Amino acid sequence: MTDLSTTIADRTFSNCMMNAAGVRCADENDLNQLIASPAGAYVTKSATPNVREGNPEPRMKSLPGGCINSMGLPNHGLDYYLDFVLKDQAARPDKTNLLSIAGTTLEDNLAMLHKVADSDFNGFVELNLSCPNVPGKPQVGYDFDRVREILTQVFAFYDKPLGVKLPPYFDLVHFDQIAAVLNDFPLTFVNSINSVGNGLVIDPNAERVAIKLGGLGGIGGTFIKPTALANVRGLSLRLKPEIAIIGTGGVMNGTDVFEHILCGASMVQVGTQFGFEGTRIFKRLSKELSAIMAAKGYQSIDDFKGKLKTFDD
Ligand code: DHB
């Protein structure tokens, strides 16, 4: 039997796959379905301090093999998600889950993190530095000085496990620069990548954009897998070993999960395709990954994690 479990810091997860923030994780019903599934953990919809309606509709469009969205952080507010994870933690104290936070200002992020710090929550916080869809608020992850400033202020008081969700980078200098910042902090993990921001999808019949806000939105699905793998691998080669990597982007099947782990991911998140299939995807992906591992004689993910070969090896 293959073992799909994984560890990050001192926590063990029964399965190395889970949902990606934003997709089917915005309310109790969604989250309870994730709890009932084989996913190794769940992450909650990125929270702002208060309830948020998000951007005008239509704000999502499915494409063959992917999607574009300009959701704009519609969510029930931090208290809703903190209450949910605290109740779940009391019921299942042996499980670790992720609480996603995405303030649109540093002050909002600090206020939310103070609330989490003062609570009994002992899971992982995923601090989202990469939402591409809030008008007037650029993706913080592209401003390296700002990331340093934010993490300096966060780690001045926050001493529970915390990771950051990063945008995709497209230049090797940027990999070096973000890694140099991240390596200066006691991060538990980084999650790479968020959607590829500000793509444009067009309806050629109507000769019109596919979604509101000028048609621009974050791209997910098969198109972004090469970018995701380059980012997971690029960070894996540069980050200090104490920082685990969660790989996200373009996961449709077990081979995609296998490739993310080869690039160095300890855990793999599924967004777009989870949106299409729902929680039954975790059974399918588990079967597909197990079959690949069995065929190669691998018993656990540590047998191949980060062991991608190049032509120079
Ligand atoms: C949204 C999209 C993202 O990619 C993200 O990281 C957070 C929020 C959104 O539009 O809701």
Side-chain angles (χ1 to χ4, degrees):
M1 237 336 244
T2 49
D3 176 5
L4 301 185
S5 71
T6 191
T7 58
I8 293 180
D10 61 346
R11 311 297 174 91
T12 300
F13 300 84
S14 58
N15 190 302
C16 60
M17 291 167 250
M18 61 180 290
N19 68 303
V23 184
R24 294 179 184 263
C25 60
D27 62 31
E28 281 190 16
N29 179 41
D30 290 335
L31 293 166
N32 282 324
Q33 287 189 41
L34 280 161
I35 287 173
S37 83
Y42 60 80
V43 57
T44 53
K45 170 72 188 170
S46 290
T48 50
N50 300 304
V51 179
R52 230 181 113 91
E53 294 295 329
N55 293 332
E57 297 182 358
R59 56 192 184 183
M60 190 176 56
K61 170 89 176 146
S62 298
L63 311 165
C67 73
I68 183 169
N69 86 82
S70 66
M71 301 302 286
L73 290 170
N75 77 95
H76 290 290
L78 176 68
D79 290 353
Y80 180 96
Y81 301 105
L82 186 54
D83 186 57
F84 184 91
V85 293
L86 286 172
K87 283 190 181 135
D88 183 30
Q89 183 179 291
R92 304 184 308 148
D94 53 327
K95 297 282 183 190
T96 295
N97 291 292
L98 283 67
L99 178 67
S100 174
I101 284 182
T104 58
T105 63
L106 173 57
E107 293 65 38
D108 280 359
N109 277 326
L110 294 175
M112 287 192 283
L113 286 171
H114 272 293
K115 214 171 201 175
V116 179
D118 293 342
S119 79
D120 289 331
F121 181 63
N122 64 17
F124 291 179
V125 162
E126 181 174 288
L127 179 62
N128 184 347
L129 300 181
S130 46
C131 174
N133 297 327
V134 178
K137 302 283 177 188
Q139 291 169 84
V140 173
Y142 288 130
D143 182 339
F144 304 112
D145 293 340
R146 186 70 170 158
V147 171
R148 180 177 291 282
E149 187 183 340
I150 291 169
L151 293 181
T152 300
Q153 295 208 30
V154 165
F155 284 113
F157 71 92
Y158 196 83
D159 60 5
K160 303 194 230 190
L162 180 137
V164 288
K165 177 97 173 256
L166 298 171
Y169 299 101
F170 301 94
D171 192 294
L172 297 187
V173 168
H174 295 162
F175 288 139
D176 292 340
Q177 289 174 333
I178 190 68
V181 173
L182 300 173
N183 279 333
D184 283 343
F185 296 94
L187 286 158
T188 299
F189 66 92
V190 302
N191 184 343
S192 173
I193 59 174
N194 207 320
S195 338
V196 174
N198 296 304
L200 178 63
V201 171
I202 290 170
D203 174 347
N205 290 323
E207 302 177 19
R208 194 186 56 207
V209 298
I211 56 172
K212 283 209 178 162
L213 287 191
L216 298 179
I219 307 291
T222 51
F223 325 110
I224 75 166
K225 189 176 81 166
T227 299
L229 294 178
N231 276 261
V232 170
R233 166 97 168 147
L235 291 168
S236 173
L237 293 173
R238 289 169 176 81
L239 291 178
K240 58 187 180 183
E242 304 92 284
I243 304 180
I245 299 177
I246 300 179
T248 307
V251 174
M252 326 301 270
N253 57 47
T255 303
D256 301 326
V257 179
F258 182 75
E259 291 178 5
H260 266 275
I261 296 170
L262 264 185
C263 287
S266 296
M267 187 122 195
V268 177
Q269 294 187 346
V270 196
T272 297
Q273 190 63 23
F274 168 53
F276 293 160
E277 274 178 66
T279 53
R280 77 175 80 92
I281 194 174
F282 295 107
K283 193 170 168 194
R284 175 173 72 78
L285 295 178
S286 297
K287 259 173 76 177
E288 291 172 0
L289 179 61
S290 292
I292 293 165
M293 288 170 60
K296 290 172 176 284
Y298 294 146
Q299 261 127 45
S300 74
I301 73 162
D302 280 340
D303 292 343
F304 59 98
K305 186 168 91 181
K307 295 188 178 169
L308 182 68
K309 291 176 242 172
T310 69
F311 285 104
D312 302 325
D313 296 323

